[in-house]
């Protein structure tokens, strides 16, 4: 956020999306702060904003669902924790896992190349 002259923070709409994204990753997906930092470093802040946009839309939908359920004769109330774990958020977690696996794959590939170079030098 931008700091004003009096020291107050001014949160722009994109700052709010980032906060939604961080909250979703920490609380909804169980990531650590270090994991979120790594995700930002690898994918950029815009990726986090997309996660925040999805989380904000889902929060609005769940709030709407709560008001819609009150009109039903026999409403079904699910705990907020269960509603948070929807397919969209599972996709985010899978994307994070994919990123980590690609990072491991790249490290293995680099080590294999180094071993091949060492092997070639010994043979020569």
């Amino acid at each position: 956020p931008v700091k004003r002259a009096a020291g107050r923070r001014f949160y722009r709409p994109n700052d709010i999306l980032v906060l939604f994204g961080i909250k979703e990753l920490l609380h909804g997906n169980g990531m650590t702060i270090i994991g979120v930092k790594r995700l930002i470093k690898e994918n950029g802040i815009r990726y986090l904003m997309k996660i925040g946009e999805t989380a904000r839309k889902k929060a609005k939908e769940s709030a709407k669902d709560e008001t819609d359920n009150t009109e039903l004769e026999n409403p079904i109330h699910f705990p907020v924790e269960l509603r948070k774990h929807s397919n969209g958020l599972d996709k985010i977690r899978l994307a994070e896992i994919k990123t980590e696996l690609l990072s491991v794959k790249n490290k293995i590939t680099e080590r294999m190349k180094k071993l091949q170079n060492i092997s070639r030098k010994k043979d020569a």
Side-chain angles (χ1 to χ4, degrees):
V2 178
K3 268 194 170 180
R4 296 288 183 177
R8 292 189 175 186
R9 288 183 174 85
F10 177 72
Y11 290 88
R12 297 167 293 190
N14 288 343
D15 295 332
I16 301 300
L17 291 177
V18 170
L19 292 174
F20 265 103
I22 291 171
K23 179 184 175 202
E24 188 56 45
L25 293 173
L26 292 175
H27 299 287
N29 290 3
M31 285 183 68
T32 63
I33 294 172
I34 294 171
V36 173
K37 285 181 180 179
R38 184 176 54 228
L39 190 72
I40 293 169
K41 184 178 178 183
E42 292 174 359
N43 297 307
I45 200 75
R46 292 196 187 276
Y47 179 75
L48 189 65
M49 288 168 54
K50 288 179 186 177
I51 295 170
E53 182 66 37
T54 302
R56 186 174 71 174
K57 285 179 184 176
K58 291 195 183 291
K60 285 182 181 179
E61 288 174 7
S62 69
K64 184 178 181 273
D65 288 345
E66 284 180 9
T67 57
D68 289 347
N69 280 344
T70 57
E71 297 172 7
L72 296 174
E73 186 175 317
N74 295 316
I76 301 171
H77 296 284
F78 291 104
V80 174
E81 293 79 21
L82 291 178
R83 278 184 265 137
K84 285 182 181 178
H85 299 289
S86 67
N87 290 336
L89 300 180
D90 292 341
K91 289 178 184 176
I92 294 168
R93 179 68 180 128
L94 288 173
E96 175 195 345
I97 292 169
K98 179 182 176 184
T99 302
E100 290 177 24
L101 288 173
L102 288 173
S103 175
V104 170
K105 178 185 174 191
N106 290 336
K107 288 178 183 178
I108 291 171
T109 303
E110 289 175 17
R111 288 184 185 175
M112 293 294 289
K113 286 180 183 178
K114 286 181 183 179
L115 288 173
Q116 288 174 352
N117 289 337
I118 291 171
S119 175
R120 288 180 191 153
K121 289 179 182 179
K122 286 182 181 178
D123 292 340

